[in-house]
Amino acid sequence: QVQLVESGGGTVQPGGSLRLSCAASVSGFIINVMGWYRAAPGKQRELVASVTSSGITTYGDSVKGRIAVSRDTAEDTLFVEVHSARPDDTAVYYCNAIARDQFTNRENDYWGQGTQVTVSS
């Protein structure tokens, strides 16, 4: 089982920073990739950032150049900070984990419940 607990979000002033963290509770699985995605009203879910267990990081186009990401593989946690927040960063942000079952070797996709971020003055 993999359970993802998200924290952070809320209301952020334009130009400020939004900070999100995700902690995974894992039993019988090994997490290969952890990431954050977001879904703005009327838009498809898009990648914010993801990090593999070997440290390869992928950034979403909309946040490149103004994002910091760190992953603690020992604790299965992922931290994201988006700087220079803009109104179009307003979205529901979801934590994601791709985890391999230690017994079947199959990969499964897990999602957190989502946390609302609103960028507004």
Side-chain angles (χ1 to χ4, degrees), residues 1-4 24-31 97 99-100 110-111:
Q1 281 284 355
V2 176
Q3 292 184 324
L4 302 175
S25 175
V26 183
S27 176
F29 285 80
I30 295 175
I31 294 180
R100 178 173 56 82
Y110 295 90
W111 293 92

Side-chain angles (χ1 to χ4, degrees), residues 98-114:
I98 300 174
R100 178 173 56 82
D101 188 309
Q102 290 181 283
F103 300 101
T104 67
N105 264 341
R106 289 183 179 175
E107 279 195 337
N108 295 320
D109 211 4
Y110 295 90
W111 293 92
Q113 291 188 328

Side-chain angles (χ1 to χ4, degrees), residues 50-92:
S50 65
V51 186
T52 69
S53 55
S54 59
I56 298 172
T57 304
T58 303
Y59 301 104
D61 288 340
S62 59
V63 296
K64 277 181 183 174
R66 56 189 187 98
I67 185 171
V69 181
S70 64
R71 178 179 169 183
D72 184 333
T73 53
E75 298 293 329
D76 285 326
T77 56
L78 181 69
F79 304 94
V80 162
E81 184 168 345
V82 178
H83 309 293
S84 303
R86 311 182 304 219
D88 62 1
D89 290 323
T90 296
V92 178

